[in-house]
Each structure stands twice: as C-alpha cells, then as structure tokens.
Amino acid sequence: VDFNSEFLSSKNAAAEKNAVDAVVYTLTEFPTVNKVQILIGGKAIKKCPHGTEIKDVLYREKINMEPTGKDASGNAIPTTLFFRSMSGGGYFLPVTRMVEPSQDPIKTTLEELIKGPAENMGLMPILPAQTRVLGVTSRGNEVMVDFSKDIEYYGGGMELEHALINSVVLTVSEFDSVDKVSILVEGESVVLPEGTSLDVPILKPIYINQGNI
C-alpha cells in the first residue's frame, strides 16, 4: 500500500507504531491478504521518523506484542485484546499479550482486557478496573459474557459506551467459531446508562474500525 508523506506525521513513537499496526491488521482482515508492504510516495523506506521499522514485509501474527512480564512462565500462550488508541481518531487496535493457559480462555482474556493496556503503548483502558467477569457460556456460535454491575461505571458518554461494547465484542470474537456475542450484567440483558440496549446478540464484525458495532 502506498501512502503520501502525511502517513509519517505521527506525534510520537507509540502513535506511529499504532498507525502501522492498524494498517497491517485492517488489510489482513481480507481473506486473500496475509502480508503487507508499506510504501511512502512509491518508495520503500527503512524506518518512520520515530523509529518504527517498515522496510520489510509485515505480517499480522503477534502484532503489537506486549513485553512479557517477569512472572510469565514458559507455558504462556498469546491472546488478543482490543484497546482504543489515544490518538488517530480513536481506532481500535489489537494487542498480543502472553497469558497462562486456562480452562476458560475467554474468561481469562476478558480479565486481561479489564486490566487495560501496558504503559507507553498509546492505548487507553476501557472497562472499569473493578469489573468482574461472572461467567462465560457458549451456545453454538454464540458466546454469552456476564459482567458485574461495575461495568456500567465507565464514566458516561455515548462514545465511551460504544467503545466498551466494541472492545468486548472484538476481543471475544477473535476466538475460533465465535460469530456473535451477548453481553449480560449480573445475569440480565440490560440497557446501559446512555441507552444502548443489550437485549440481542451482537454479530462479529467483518472488519474492525467499521464504526460502532
């Protein structure tokens, strides 16, 4: 893909890397695309101004890999979380985090989502930190996620409410065979504070950042 020089105008290293990762992840959503090369004005360059390397072909695997913590064991496996960028229009970006294997991998992944992103990645936490995952159940290709009522205390505003829903649905629908996600609060289908009704399952999006899911 060939961009003009404005693509290189990110404010800092985190925003720059997020922009590159967003391009790679978005294009590899297409079934026939598994690698991406970024050109600027028709030419390949080695690095962006803040140091992000784009000289080689880029792949989707382990995109935006977080640093592995000291407590991670050799058995840790990757899981994908979706957080919102602090810049660039508030796009959602995938983050790969290494977690310990679990009998309930979706529940474990959602608990990691609640923890928020690592520092200095230019991403913002979305779910309130006190939120608990009460349960995850599956019925065919639908996953039902039950949160504690704390999820409603996200700070208010339609934009944040939509971001919360999008973050959960994008993260859960990364798992194989998940086509739709139902969000429950204390076991009930509710209407969130800004009026978003959760009474029907939300379909897996075809592409990320296609507007509100």
PDB file of all heavy atoms in Angstrom, residues 5-45:
ATOM      1  N   SER A   5       3.365  11.385   2.245  1.00  0.00           N
ATOM      2  CA  SER A   5       4.244  11.652   3.371  1.00  0.00           C
ATOM      3  C   SER A   5       3.499  11.982   4.665  1.00  0.00           C
ATOM      4  O   SER A   5       4.083  11.926   5.755  1.00  0.00           O
ATOM      5  CB  SER A   5       5.198  12.803   3.036  1.00  0.00           C
ATOM      6  OG  SER A   5       4.459  13.986   2.734  1.00  0.00           O
ATOM      7  N   GLU A   6       2.202  12.304   4.573  1.00  0.00           N
ATOM      8  CA  GLU A   6       1.425  12.601   5.780  1.00  0.00           C
ATOM      9  C   GLU A   6       1.337  11.393   6.709  1.00  0.00           C
ATOM     10  O   GLU A   6       1.122  11.541   7.917  1.00  0.00           O
ATOM     11  CB  GLU A   6       0.014  13.062   5.398  1.00  0.00           C
ATOM     12  CG  GLU A   6      -0.041  14.439   4.763  1.00  0.00           C
ATOM     13  CD  GLU A   6       0.487  15.520   5.698  1.00  0.00           C
ATOM     14  OE1 GLU A   6       0.068  15.537   6.873  1.00  0.00           O
ATOM     15  OE2 GLU A   6       1.334  16.314   5.260  1.00  0.00           O
ATOM     16  N   PHE A   7       1.519  10.201   6.148  1.00  0.00           N
ATOM     17  CA  PHE A   7       1.485   8.988   6.976  1.00  0.00           C
ATOM     18  C   PHE A   7       2.594   9.019   8.027  1.00  0.00           C
ATOM     19  O   PHE A   7       2.477   8.364   9.070  1.00  0.00           O
ATOM     20  CB  PHE A   7       1.627   7.753   6.093  1.00  0.00           C
ATOM     21  CG  PHE A   7       1.506   6.450   6.834  1.00  0.00           C
ATOM     22  CD1 PHE A   7       0.265   5.966   7.210  1.00  0.00           C
ATOM     23  CD2 PHE A   7       2.635   5.708   7.167  1.00  0.00           C
ATOM     24  CE1 PHE A   7       0.143   4.763   7.908  1.00  0.00           C
ATOM     25  CE2 PHE A   7       2.529   4.514   7.861  1.00  0.00           C
ATOM     26  CZ  PHE A   7       1.276   4.040   8.230  1.00  0.00           C
ATOM     27  N   LEU A   8       3.631   9.777   7.778  1.00  0.00           N
ATOM     28  CA  LEU A   8       4.785   9.824   8.667  1.00  0.00           C
ATOM     29  C   LEU A   8       4.702  10.932   9.709  1.00  0.00           C
ATOM     30  O   LEU A   8       5.681  11.229  10.373  1.00  0.00           O
ATOM     31  CB  LEU A   8       6.071  10.012   7.847  1.00  0.00           C
ATOM     32  CG  LEU A   8       6.335   8.951   6.775  1.00  0.00           C
ATOM     33  CD1 LEU A   8       7.582   9.313   5.990  1.00  0.00           C
ATOM     34  CD2 LEU A   8       6.470   7.567   7.393  1.00  0.00           C
ATOM     35  N   SER A   9       3.533  11.528   9.868  1.00  0.00           N
ATOM     36  CA  SER A   9       3.409  12.709  10.729  1.00  0.00           C
ATOM     37  C   SER A   9       2.880  12.398  12.128  1.00  0.00           C
ATOM     38  O   SER A   9       2.354  13.280  12.799  1.00  0.00           O
ATOM     39  CB  SER A   9       2.502  13.750  10.064  1.00  0.00           C
ATOM     40  OG  SER A   9       1.200  13.222   9.857  1.00  0.00           O
ATOM     41  N   SER A  10       3.009  11.161  12.576  1.00  0.00           N
ATOM     42  CA  SER A  10       2.563  10.809  13.931  1.00  0.00           C
ATOM     43  C   SER A  10       3.321  11.629  14.970  1.00  0.00           C
ATOM     44  O   SER A  10       4.492  11.963  14.787  1.00  0.00           O
ATOM     45  CB  SER A  10       2.784   9.317  14.192  1.00  0.00           C
ATOM     46  OG  SER A  10       2.014   8.529  13.306  1.00  0.00           O
ATOM     47  N   LYS A  11       2.655  11.918  16.095  1.00  0.00           N
ATOM     48  CA  LYS A  11       3.232  12.800  17.111  1.00  0.00           C
ATOM     49  C   LYS A  11       4.343  12.144  17.920  1.00  0.00           C
ATOM     50  O   LYS A  11       5.237  12.812  18.420  1.00  0.00           O
ATOM     51  CB  LYS A  11       2.132  13.292  18.055  1.00  0.00           C
ATOM     52  CG  LYS A  11       1.110  14.201  17.375  1.00  0.00           C
ATOM     53  CD  LYS A  11       0.075  14.681  18.370  1.00  0.00           C
ATOM     54  CE  LYS A  11      -0.927  15.608  17.711  1.00  0.00           C
ATOM     55  NZ  LYS A  11      -1.964  16.088  18.660  1.00  0.00           N
ATOM     56  N   ASN A  12       4.255  10.816  18.087  1.00  0.00           N
ATOM     57  CA  ASN A  12       5.254  10.137  18.902  1.00  0.00           C
ATOM     58  C   ASN A  12       5.397   8.689  18.443  1.00  0.00           C
ATOM     59  O   ASN A  12       4.692   8.233  17.539  1.00  0.00           O
ATOM     60  CB  ASN A  12       4.892  10.196  20.387  1.00  0.00           C
ATOM     61  CG  ASN A  12       3.475   9.707  20.659  1.00  0.00           C
ATOM     62  OD1 ASN A  12       3.089   8.633  20.204  1.00  0.00           O
ATOM     63  ND2 ASN A  12       2.690  10.499  21.386  1.00  0.00           N
ATOM     64  N   ALA A  13       6.318   7.955  19.079  1.00  0.00           N
ATOM     65  CA  ALA A  13       6.619   6.585  18.658  1.00  0.00           C
ATOM     66  C   ALA A  13       5.427   5.650  18.825  1.00  0.00           C
ATOM     67  O   ALA A  13       5.173   4.788  17.976  1.00  0.00           O
ATOM     68  CB  ALA A  13       7.821   6.063  19.443  1.00  0.00           C
ATOM     69  N   ALA A  14       4.686   5.826  19.926  1.00  0.00           N
ATOM     70  CA  ALA A  14       3.543   4.947  20.161  1.00  0.00           C
ATOM     71  C   ALA A  14       2.472   5.143  19.096  1.00  0.00           C
ATOM     72  O   ALA A  14       1.930   4.171  18.546  1.00  0.00           O
ATOM     73  CB  ALA A  14       2.961   5.208  21.549  1.00  0.00           C
ATOM     74  N   ALA A  15       2.155   6.400  18.773  1.00  0.00           N
ATOM     75  CA  ALA A  15       1.151   6.677  17.745  1.00  0.00           C
ATOM     76  C   ALA A  15       1.621   6.182  16.382  1.00  0.00           C
ATOM     77  O   ALA A  15       0.821   5.675  15.585  1.00  0.00           O
ATOM     78  CB  ALA A  15       0.867   8.175  17.694  1.00  0.00           C
ATOM     79  N   GLU A  16       2.900   6.310  16.128  1.00  0.00           N
ATOM     80  CA  GLU A  16       3.458   5.855  14.850  1.00  0.00           C
ATOM     81  C   GLU A  16       3.313   4.340  14.697  1.00  0.00           C
ATOM     82  O   GLU A  16       2.865   3.838  13.666  1.00  0.00           O
ATOM     83  CB  GLU A  16       4.932   6.250  14.795  1.00  0.00           C
ATOM     84  CG  GLU A  16       5.654   5.883  13.511  1.00  0.00           C
ATOM     85  CD  GLU A  16       7.087   6.365  13.584  1.00  0.00           C
ATOM     86  OE1 GLU A  16       7.946   5.614  14.116  1.00  0.00           O
ATOM     87  OE2 GLU A  16       7.347   7.486  13.124  1.00  0.00           O
ATOM     88  N   LYS A  17       3.691   3.601  15.734  1.00  0.00           N
ATOM     89  CA  LYS A  17       3.579   2.145  15.678  1.00  0.00           C
ATOM     90  C   LYS A  17       2.127   1.711  15.574  1.00  0.00           C
ATOM     91  O   LYS A  17       1.789   0.765  14.850  1.00  0.00           O
ATOM     92  CB  LYS A  17       4.233   1.503  16.901  1.00  0.00           C
ATOM     93  CG  LYS A  17       4.325  -0.024  16.793  1.00  0.00           C
ATOM     94  CD  LYS A  17       5.060  -0.618  17.964  1.00  0.00           C
ATOM     95  CE  LYS A  17       5.305  -2.110  17.742  1.00  0.00           C
ATOM     96  NZ  LYS A  17       4.078  -2.869  17.421  1.00  0.00           N
ATOM     97  N   ASN A  18       1.247   2.392  16.300  1.00  0.00           N
ATOM     98  CA  ASN A  18      -0.180   2.066  16.219  1.00  0.00           C
ATOM     99  C   ASN A  18      -0.713   2.265  14.809  1.00  0.00           C
ATOM    100  O   ASN A  18      -1.541   1.487  14.328  1.00  0.00           O
ATOM    101  CB  ASN A  18      -0.969   2.921  17.202  1.00  0.00           C
ATOM    102  CG  ASN A  18      -0.779   2.488  18.643  1.00  0.00           C
ATOM    103  OD1 ASN A  18      -0.303   1.379  18.914  1.00  0.00           O
ATOM    104  ND2 ASN A  18      -1.121   3.348  19.581  1.00  0.00           N
ATOM    105  N   ALA A  19      -0.256   3.320  14.130  1.00  0.00           N
ATOM    106  CA  ALA A  19      -0.712   3.573  12.761  1.00  0.00           C
ATOM    107  C   ALA A  19      -0.276   2.457  11.829  1.00  0.00           C
ATOM    108  O   ALA A  19      -1.059   1.968  10.999  1.00  0.00           O
ATOM    109  CB  ALA A  19      -0.163   4.916  12.281  1.00  0.00           C
ATOM    110  N   VAL A  20       0.979   2.030  11.959  1.00  0.00           N
ATOM    111  CA  VAL A  20       1.480   0.939  11.116  1.00  0.00           C
ATOM    112  C   VAL A  20       0.727  -0.355  11.405  1.00  0.00           C
ATOM    113  O   VAL A  20       0.279  -1.060  10.493  1.00  0.00           O
ATOM    114  CB  VAL A  20       2.992   0.746  11.344  1.00  0.00           C
ATOM    115  CG1 VAL A  20       3.486  -0.523  10.632  1.00  0.00           C
ATOM    116  CG2 VAL A  20       3.766   1.956  10.828  1.00  0.00           C
ATOM    117  N   ASP A  21       0.562  -0.672  12.691  1.00  0.00           N
ATOM    118  CA  ASP A  21      -0.136  -1.900  13.061  1.00  0.00           C
ATOM    119  C   ASP A  21      -1.588  -1.884  12.601  1.00  0.00           C
ATOM    120  O   ASP A  21      -2.139  -2.905  12.188  1.00  0.00           O
ATOM    121  CB  ASP A  21      -0.075  -2.107  14.575  1.00  0.00           C
ATOM    122  CG  ASP A  21       1.305  -2.532  15.044  1.00  0.00           C
ATOM    123  OD1 ASP A  21       2.101  -2.977  14.200  1.00  0.00           O
ATOM    124  OD2 ASP A  21       1.590  -2.416  16.246  1.00  0.00           O
ATOM    125  N   ALA A  22      -2.233  -0.717  12.672  1.00  0.00           N
ATOM    126  CA  ALA A  22      -3.625  -0.612  12.235  1.00  0.00           C
ATOM    127  C   ALA A  22      -3.748  -0.905  10.743  1.00  0.00           C
ATOM    128  O   ALA A  22      -4.689  -1.579  10.307  1.00  0.00           O
ATOM    129  CB  ALA A  22      -4.168   0.779  12.541  1.00  0.00           C
ATOM    130  N   VAL A  23      -2.801  -0.422   9.948  1.00  0.00           N
ATOM    131  CA  VAL A  23      -2.820  -0.695   8.500  1.00  0.00           C
ATOM    132  C   VAL A  23      -2.671  -2.197   8.249  1.00  0.00           C
ATOM    133  O   VAL A  23      -3.434  -2.803   7.487  1.00  0.00           O
ATOM    134  CB  VAL A  23      -1.702   0.085   7.788  1.00  0.00           C
ATOM    135  CG1 VAL A  23      -1.546  -0.391   6.345  1.00  0.00           C
ATOM    136  CG2 VAL A  23      -2.008   1.576   7.806  1.00  0.00           C
ATOM    137  N   VAL A  24      -1.691  -2.802   8.914  1.00  0.00           N
ATOM    138  CA  VAL A  24      -1.432  -4.231   8.701  1.00  0.00           C
ATOM    139  C   VAL A  24      -2.636  -5.057   9.124  1.00  0.00           C
ATOM    140  O   VAL A  24      -3.086  -5.950   8.404  1.00  0.00           O
ATOM    141  CB  VAL A  24      -0.171  -4.674   9.474  1.00  0.00           C
ATOM    142  CG1 VAL A  24       0.021  -6.186   9.368  1.00  0.00           C
ATOM    143  CG2 VAL A  24       1.056  -3.948   8.944  1.00  0.00           C
ATOM    144  N   TYR A  25      -3.181  -4.757  10.303  1.00  0.00           N
ATOM    145  CA  TYR A  25      -4.291  -5.561  10.810  1.00  0.00           C
ATOM    146  C   TYR A  25      -5.543  -5.389   9.948  1.00  0.00           C
ATOM    147  O   TYR A  25      -6.259  -6.345   9.662  1.00  0.00           O
ATOM    148  CB  TYR A  25      -4.598  -5.192  12.259  1.00  0.00           C
ATOM    149  CG  TYR A  25      -5.229  -6.332  13.016  1.00  0.00           C
ATOM    150  CD1 TYR A  25      -4.449  -7.243  13.708  1.00  0.00           C
ATOM    151  CD2 TYR A  25      -6.603  -6.506  13.022  1.00  0.00           C
ATOM    152  CE1 TYR A  25      -5.022  -8.304  14.388  1.00  0.00           C
ATOM    153  CE2 TYR A  25      -7.182  -7.553  13.708  1.00  0.00           C
ATOM    154  CZ  TYR A  25      -6.391  -8.458  14.391  1.00  0.00           C
ATOM    155  OH  TYR A  25      -6.977  -9.500  15.055  1.00  0.00           O
ATOM    156  N   THR A  26      -5.807  -4.162   9.522  1.00  0.00           N
ATOM    157  CA  THR A  26      -7.001  -3.913   8.711  1.00  0.00           C
ATOM    158  C   THR A  26      -6.914  -4.624   7.367  1.00  0.00           C
ATOM    159  O   THR A  26      -7.874  -5.272   6.923  1.00  0.00           O
ATOM    160  CB  THR A  26      -7.184  -2.406   8.486  1.00  0.00           C
ATOM    161  OG1 THR A  26      -7.364  -1.767   9.756  1.00  0.00           O
ATOM    162  CG2 THR A  26      -8.412  -2.125   7.619  1.00  0.00           C
ATOM    163  N   LEU A  27      -5.766  -4.533   6.697  1.00  0.00           N
ATOM    164  CA  LEU A  27      -5.635  -5.148   5.371  1.00  0.00           C
ATOM    165  C   LEU A  27      -5.632  -6.670   5.444  1.00  0.00           C
ATOM    166  O   LEU A  27      -6.169  -7.337   4.564  1.00  0.00           O
ATOM    167  CB  LEU A  27      -4.363  -4.648   4.690  1.00  0.00           C
ATOM    168  CG  LEU A  27      -4.379  -3.172   4.281  1.00  0.00           C
ATOM    169  CD1 LEU A  27      -3.055  -2.774   3.644  1.00  0.00           C
ATOM    170  CD2 LEU A  27      -5.532  -2.877   3.324  1.00  0.00           C
ATOM    171  N   THR A  28      -5.059  -7.233   6.507  1.00  0.00           N
ATOM    172  CA  THR A  28      -5.046  -8.689   6.620  1.00  0.00           C
ATOM    173  C   THR A  28      -6.378  -9.251   7.107  1.00  0.00           C
ATOM    174  O   THR A  28      -6.519 -10.467   7.251  1.00  0.00           O
ATOM    175  CB  THR A  28      -3.905  -9.163   7.545  1.00  0.00           C
ATOM    176  OG1 THR A  28      -3.995  -8.495   8.807  1.00  0.00           O
ATOM    177  CG2 THR A  28      -2.552  -8.887   6.919  1.00  0.00           C
ATOM    178  N   GLU A  29      -7.357  -8.385   7.334  1.00  0.00           N
ATOM    179  CA  GLU A  29      -8.726  -8.857   7.557  1.00  0.00           C
ATOM    180  C   GLU A  29      -9.296  -9.471   6.281  1.00  0.00           C
ATOM    181  O   GLU A  29     -10.183 -10.313   6.336  1.00  0.00           O
ATOM    182  CB  GLU A  29      -9.616  -7.701   8.003  1.00  0.00           C
ATOM    183  CG  GLU A  29      -9.359  -7.208   9.416  1.00  0.00           C
ATOM    184  CD  GLU A  29     -10.027  -8.085  10.448  1.00  0.00           C
ATOM    185  OE1 GLU A  29     -11.251  -7.983  10.614  1.00  0.00           O
ATOM    186  OE2 GLU A  29      -9.325  -8.888  11.082  1.00  0.00           O
ATOM    187  N   PHE A  30      -8.801  -9.040   5.129  1.00  0.00           N
ATOM    188  CA  PHE A  30      -9.256  -9.619   3.863  1.00  0.00           C
ATOM    189  C   PHE A  30      -8.702 -11.033   3.731  1.00  0.00           C
ATOM    190  O   PHE A  30      -7.504 -11.257   3.967  1.00  0.00           O
ATOM    191  CB  PHE A  30      -8.810  -8.759   2.680  1.00  0.00           C
ATOM    192  CG  PHE A  30      -9.489  -7.424   2.606  1.00  0.00           C
ATOM    193  CD1 PHE A  30      -8.917  -6.302   3.185  1.00  0.00           C
ATOM    194  CD2 PHE A  30     -10.708  -7.284   1.961  1.00  0.00           C
ATOM    195  CE1 PHE A  30      -9.546  -5.064   3.122  1.00  0.00           C
ATOM    196  CE2 PHE A  30     -11.343  -6.049   1.898  1.00  0.00           C
ATOM    197  CZ  PHE A  30     -10.762  -4.943   2.478  1.00  0.00           C
ATOM    198  N   PRO A  31      -9.531 -12.008   3.337  1.00  0.00           N
ATOM    199  CA  PRO A  31      -9.102 -13.417   3.323  1.00  0.00           C
ATOM    200  C   PRO A  31      -7.888 -13.689   2.445  1.00  0.00           C
ATOM    201  O   PRO A  31      -7.111 -14.601   2.724  1.00  0.00           O
ATOM    202  CB  PRO A  31     -10.342 -14.150   2.790  1.00  0.00           C
ATOM    203  CG  PRO A  31     -11.487 -13.240   3.047  1.00  0.00           C
ATOM    204  CD  PRO A  31     -10.947 -11.854   2.959  1.00  0.00           C
ATOM    205  N   THR A  32      -7.706 -12.922   1.381  1.00  0.00           N
ATOM    206  CA  THR A  32      -6.615 -13.190   0.446  1.00  0.00           C
ATOM    207  C   THR A  32      -5.328 -12.431   0.781  1.00  0.00           C
ATOM    208  O   THR A  32      -4.340 -12.544   0.056  1.00  0.00           O
ATOM    209  CB  THR A  32      -7.042 -12.826  -0.984  1.00  0.00           C
ATOM    210  OG1 THR A  32      -7.437 -11.444  -1.016  1.00  0.00           O
ATOM    211  CG2 THR A  32      -8.201 -13.696  -1.448  1.00  0.00           C
ATOM    212  N   VAL A  33      -5.329 -11.664   1.868  1.00  0.00           N
ATOM    213  CA  VAL A  33      -4.153 -10.859   2.224  1.00  0.00           C
ATOM    214  C   VAL A  33      -3.527 -11.425   3.498  1.00  0.00           C
ATOM    215  O   VAL A  33      -4.182 -11.503   4.533  1.00  0.00           O
ATOM    216  CB  VAL A  33      -4.525  -9.380   2.442  1.00  0.00           C
ATOM    217  CG1 VAL A  33      -3.289  -8.580   2.861  1.00  0.00           C
ATOM    218  CG2 VAL A  33      -5.138  -8.791   1.188  1.00  0.00           C
ATOM    219  N   ASN A  34      -2.258 -11.831   3.423  1.00  0.00           N
ATOM    220  CA  ASN A  34      -1.583 -12.311   4.628  1.00  0.00           C
ATOM    221  C   ASN A  34      -0.287 -11.578   4.925  1.00  0.00           C
ATOM    222  O   ASN A  34       0.378 -11.873   5.914  1.00  0.00           O
ATOM    223  CB  ASN A  34      -1.340 -13.829   4.553  1.00  0.00           C
ATOM    224  CG  ASN A  34      -0.565 -14.230   3.308  1.00  0.00           C
ATOM    225  OD1 ASN A  34       0.221 -13.448   2.786  1.00  0.00           O
ATOM    226  ND2 ASN A  34      -0.785 -15.450   2.841  1.00  0.00           N
ATOM    227  N   LYS A  35       0.084 -10.630   4.077  1.00  0.00           N
ATOM    228  CA  LYS A  35       1.263  -9.806   4.348  1.00  0.00           C
ATOM    229  C   LYS A  35       1.104  -8.460   3.656  1.00  0.00           C
ATOM    230  O   LYS A  35       0.379  -8.330   2.670  1.00  0.00           O
ATOM    231  CB  LYS A  35       2.544 -10.502   3.884  1.00  0.00           C
ATOM    232  CG  LYS A  35       2.549 -10.961   2.446  1.00  0.00           C
ATOM    233  CD  LYS A  35       3.789 -11.790   2.139  1.00  0.00           C
ATOM    234  CE  LYS A  35       3.752 -12.325   0.715  1.00  0.00           C
ATOM    235  NZ  LYS A  35       4.936 -13.159   0.418  1.00  0.00           N
ATOM    236  N   VAL A  36       1.784  -7.458   4.208  1.00  0.00           N
ATOM    237  CA  VAL A  36       1.608  -6.076   3.751  1.00  0.00           C
ATOM    238  C   VAL A  36       2.976  -5.406   3.637  1.00  0.00           C
ATOM    239  O   VAL A  36       3.838  -5.599   4.504  1.00  0.00           O
ATOM    240  CB  VAL A  36       0.732  -5.279   4.750  1.00  0.00           C
ATOM    241  CG1 VAL A  36       0.642  -3.807   4.335  1.00  0.00           C
ATOM    242  CG2 VAL A  36      -0.659  -5.890   4.856  1.00  0.00           C
ATOM    243  N   GLN A  37       3.148  -4.629   2.587  1.00  0.00           N
ATOM    244  CA  GLN A  37       4.326  -3.773   2.500  1.00  0.00           C
ATOM    245  C   GLN A  37       3.860  -2.329   2.375  1.00  0.00           C
ATOM    246  O   GLN A  37       2.971  -2.020   1.585  1.00  0.00           O
ATOM    247  CB  GLN A  37       5.207  -4.130   1.308  1.00  0.00           C
ATOM    248  CG  GLN A  37       6.494  -3.292   1.275  1.00  0.00           C
ATOM    249  CD  GLN A  37       7.498  -3.787   0.259  1.00  0.00           C
ATOM    250  OE1 GLN A  37       7.154  -4.480  -0.674  1.00  0.00           O
ATOM    251  NE2 GLN A  37       8.759  -3.421   0.449  1.00  0.00           N
ATOM    252  N   ILE A  38       4.452  -1.460   3.171  1.00  0.00           N
ATOM    253  CA  ILE A  38       4.077  -0.049   3.185  1.00  0.00           C
ATOM    254  C   ILE A  38       5.115   0.760   2.413  1.00  0.00           C
ATOM    255  O   ILE A  38       6.323   0.660   2.680  1.00  0.00           O
ATOM    256  CB  ILE A  38       3.963   0.472   4.631  1.00  0.00           C
ATOM    257  CG1 ILE A  38       2.787  -0.234   5.348  1.00  0.00           C
ATOM    258  CG2 ILE A  38       3.755   1.983   4.650  1.00  0.00           C
ATOM    259  CD1 ILE A  38       2.646   0.145   6.808  1.00  0.00           C
ATOM    260  N   LEU A  39       4.629   1.544   1.464  1.00  0.00           N
ATOM    261  CA  LEU A  39       5.472   2.445   0.693  1.00  0.00           C
ATOM    262  C   LEU A  39       5.089   3.887   1.012  1.00  0.00           C
ATOM    263  O   LEU A  39       3.946   4.167   1.368  1.00  0.00           O
ATOM    264  CB  LEU A  39       5.308   2.200  -0.814  1.00  0.00           C
ATOM    265  CG  LEU A  39       5.537   0.776  -1.326  1.00  0.00           C
ATOM    266  CD1 LEU A  39       5.250   0.715  -2.818  1.00  0.00           C
ATOM    267  CD2 LEU A  39       6.954   0.303  -1.027  1.00  0.00           C
ATOM    268  N   ILE A  40       6.035   4.783   0.871  1.00  0.00           N
ATOM    269  CA  ILE A  40       5.784   6.211   1.048  1.00  0.00           C
ATOM    270  C   ILE A  40       6.175   6.912  -0.247  1.00  0.00           C
ATOM    271  O   ILE A  40       7.351   6.900  -0.638  1.00  0.00           O
ATOM    272  CB  ILE A  40       6.581   6.804   2.219  1.00  0.00           C
ATOM    273  CG1 ILE A  40       6.285   6.031   3.521  1.00  0.00           C
ATOM    274  CG2 ILE A  40       6.256   8.278   2.384  1.00  0.00           C
ATOM    275  CD1 ILE A  40       4.849   6.104   3.991  1.00  0.00           C
ATOM    276  N   GLY A  41       5.187   7.469  -0.928  1.00  0.00           N
ATOM    277  CA  GLY A  41       5.457   8.121  -2.205  1.00  0.00           C
ATOM    278  C   GLY A  41       6.041   7.175  -3.230  1.00  0.00           C
ATOM    279  O   GLY A  41       6.892   7.584  -4.039  1.00  0.00           O
ATOM    280  N   GLY A  42       5.619   5.925  -3.184  1.00  0.00           N
ATOM    281  CA  GLY A  42       6.088   4.938  -4.150  1.00  0.00           C
ATOM    282  C   GLY A  42       7.407   4.288  -3.803  1.00  0.00           C
ATOM    283  O   GLY A  42       7.896   3.444  -4.557  1.00  0.00           O
ATOM    284  N   LYS A  43       7.988   4.638  -2.668  1.00  0.00           N
ATOM    285  CA  LYS A  43       9.303   4.116  -2.304  1.00  0.00           C
ATOM    286  C   LYS A  43       9.255   3.416  -0.950  1.00  0.00           C
ATOM    287  O   LYS A  43       8.548   3.845  -0.039  1.00  0.00           O
ATOM    288  CB  LYS A  43      10.334   5.239  -2.253  1.00  0.00           C
ATOM    289  CG  LYS A  43      10.545   5.948  -3.587  1.00  0.00           C
ATOM    290  CD  LYS A  43      11.565   7.065  -3.440  1.00  0.00           C
ATOM    291  CE  LYS A  43      11.779   7.791  -4.770  1.00  0.00           C
ATOM    292  NZ  LYS A  43      12.771   8.896  -4.651  1.00  0.00           N
ATOM    293  N   ALA A  44      10.039   2.341  -0.834  1.00  0.00           N
ATOM    294  CA  ALA A  44      10.188   1.663   0.452  1.00  0.00           C
ATOM    295  C   ALA A  44      11.190   2.438   1.302  1.00  0.00           C
ATOM    296  O   ALA A  44      12.226   2.877   0.802  1.00  0.00           O
ATOM    297  CB  ALA A  44      10.676   0.240   0.239  1.00  0.00           C
ATOM    298  N   ILE A  45      10.850   2.642   2.576  1.00  0.00           N
ATOM    299  CA  ILE A  45      11.790   3.295   3.485  1.00  0.00           C
ATOM    300  C   ILE A  45      12.070   2.352   4.649  1.00  0.00           C
ATOM    301  O   ILE A  45      11.259   1.466   4.959  1.00  0.00           O
ATOM    302  CB  ILE A  45      11.259   4.646   4.003  1.00  0.00           C
ATOM    303  CG1 ILE A  45      10.009   4.448   4.862  1.00  0.00           C
ATOM    304  CG2 ILE A  45      10.976   5.600   2.850  1.00  0.00           C
ATOM    305  CD1 ILE A  45       9.556   5.725   5.562  1.00  0.00           C
TER     306      ILE A  45
END
